[in-house]
Each structure stands twice: as C-alpha cells, then as structure tokens.
Amino acid sequence: MTPDSARHHLRDTCTALSCPVLIRLIGEIDDHGAIPARALTRTFADLPTHRVRQVVEQADALGLLTRTAAGLDLSSAGRDLADLYDATARWARGHQYPAPLCDFAGRIRHTFALLGAGTPHPRASDEERDVELARIEQLMSRWIHAHRRSRDAYGITA
C-alpha cells in the first residue's frame, strides 16, 4: 500500500466513524451496557426514529453490534471502537481541541477530521507533531487492520 492510499483509507475510515449519532450509540452502550431494542427511542428521544434506525443499520453494517437477549450490545469491533473513541476524546480534552468547551462527539469528530486530513495539531509545529496524537492515529490504523469487515462495509479496502 502506498502512503497516499494508506492516507486515503485512513480518511475514509475517519469519515465513516465520525457520525455523531454513531458515536453516541457506541458510547451509550459502552457506558451503560446493552440497550433493549424497544428502549432505543427512549435512549435517543431527541432523534427521529428513522435516524436511530439508520445509525443502528450503519453500526450493523460496520460489524459494531451484536444482538443478545439483553438487546443491542457491542461486538469486539464495537468495543475496540469505544476504546478508540475514549482515547481520542481524552487526547482532545487534554489539548482543548477543538475548543476548551466541546462535547464528546465533537471532540472525536474534529480529531478524526484532523487525522483524516493528515495535518498536524494546529498548535504544534510540523517537527513536533504531538506524540499522543500520533498514538491515536496508530490506534486507528490498528482498528482498521483488525476489523476488516468494518472497513469493507464502507468500501475501505487495504
């Protein structure tokens, strides 16, 4: 894989995983456990039902969910993604990126956009790209390689 194609795959994956409702779904299940199917609309009461269905379908296509007796739960790929989201949000919060006040999903979306663009942190010089941000990029690359089905669901091939 050429550096350009690797950057393209990283950008596509960052885009696919940056959906705010997907971030909320993965975070909700990670924080509180499986969501009974009938409780989805209560859990996401601020969203239209069709949008909740869309994000569940997206998460299913990415291989992020499993269905258990308790409801929708995270698959191995989903648990790994939740860990990636947590690490990303920790980095962003610690660096006040993109702003001192920002929600969890916003921090992840902006940081993934930064990774996908291949640009260094705006407050760091090119020579001293933040080591922790490089670690987030490495975690993303590991997630991409570990969860081929998730990549293939969006046409992201290696």
Side-chain angles (χ1 to χ4, degrees):
M1 181 182 296
T2 66
D4 286 340
S5 65
R7 176 65 46 206
H8 177 74
H9 296 305
L10 177 65
R11 185 187 69 234
D12 288 350
T13 302
C14 287
T15 300
L17 299 178
S18 292
C19 169
V21 183
L22 178 66
I23 294 168
R24 282 182 58 191
L25 175 67
I26 298 301
E28 183 69 29
I29 297 172
D30 185 48
D31 291 346
H32 303 290
I35 300 174
R38 295 178 189 242
L40 278 170
T41 53
R42 280 191 315 261
T43 303
F44 299 101
D46 59 320
L47 297 172
T49 304
H50 77 278
R51 185 65 184 114
V52 175
R53 262 195 310 267
Q54 283 177 330
V55 81
V56 169
E57 289 172 7
Q58 178 186 9
D60 272 337
L62 288 167
L64 303 174
L65 300 176
T66 61
R67 298 182 192 296
T68 66
L72 292 176
D73 206 349
L74 296 178
S75 66
S76 164
R79 285 188 302 276
D80 290 348
L81 181 58
D83 292 343
L84 175 60
Y85 282 166
D86 288 341
T88 302
R90 267 192 311 278
W91 176 85
R93 191 173 36 257
H95 290 82
Q96 297 185 353
Y97 187 76
L101 296 176
C102 188
D103 67 2
F104 182 78
R107 290 192 189 283
I108 292 166
R109 285 187 3 263
H110 284 89
T111 304
F112 279 12
L114 187 68
L115 291 175
T119 58
H121 184 286
R123 295 183 204 130
S125 70
D126 288 340
E127 301 88 40
E128 51 183 63
R129 184 172 182 190
D130 187 47
V131 173
E132 291 175 41
L133 183 58
R135 184 176 142 305
I136 299 300
E137 185 172 2
Q138 186 178 52
L139 290 172
M140 173 65 83
S141 293
R142 284 188 199 147
W143 188 90
I144 291 169
H145 291 295
H147 303 290
R148 181 169 181 82
R149 177 179 172 208
S150 302
R151 290 191 336 252
D152 293 344
Y154 273 86
I156 304 165
T157 57

